[in-house]
Amino acid sequence: PWQSDSSWRRERILHVPLCREDCEQWWDDCQDSVTCKANWHKGWNWTSGTNQCPQGAMCQKFKFVFPTPAALCEGLWSHSYRYTPHRRGSGRCIQMWFDPTLGNPNAAVARFYA
């Protein structure tokens, strides 16, 4: 059988502080999407070479699996991200979406926490 390369899953980020607006927008945008898992970091069926839902897993809307923005941002990737009260432009949280022509606001955040 064909083997998928999942070596990338051995390295990860942990507790990256997300800006409040980014987490809330992510939840708003995805609340009516469906998922079969609360944690996408592990537990997939990879036998086909791509991630498939585990046998018997039931698909549900995000808003039921993740009842709050914090539940989504912190739970979806095994606490890779942390929901914060910090706002965009505060220099204390990572912005997931920004206009790169205006520079990367996350560089200052990385320097702050370094």
Side-chain angles (χ1 to χ4, degrees):
W2 184 73
Q3 196 69 10
S4 63
D5 177 10
S6 58
S7 60
W8 58 270
R9 290 183 290 173
R10 290 190 200 106
E11 297 178 16
R12 59 181 293 231
I13 56 175
L14 190 61
H15 303 295
V16 172
L18 286 185
C19 296
R20 175 181 177 168
E21 298 93 333
D22 286 54
C23 185
E24 291 174 355
Q25 186 65 56
W26 187 8
W27 189 86
D28 286 341
D29 289 347
C30 294
Q31 64 177 315
D32 289 321
S33 297
V34 295
T35 184
C36 64
K37 291 180 47 39
N39 182 346
W40 289 8
H41 185 242
K42 57 187 177 180
W44 294 102
N45 176 352
W46 286 93
T47 57
S48 69
T50 60
N51 59 324
Q52 302 292 318
C53 291
Q55 187 171 356
M58 194 172 87
C59 286
Q60 299 178 58
K61 288 189 175 189
F62 270 50
K63 63 185 167 188
F64 299 119
V65 177
F66 308 107
T68 65
L72 169 66
C73 295
E74 294 181 355
L76 188 65
W77 295 108
S78 295
H79 299 281
S80 291
Y81 299 107
R82 181 173 45 88
Y83 177 85
T84 72
H86 299 301
R87 311 295 294 221
R88 289 173 148 246
S90 67
R92 302 296 183 263
C93 58
I94 294 293
Q95 289 181 213
M96 294 182 82
W97 301 281
F98 57 88
D99 182 348
T101 63
L102 302 176
N104 184 340
N106 298 327
V109 177
R111 282 191 295 275
F112 174 78
Y113 286 105

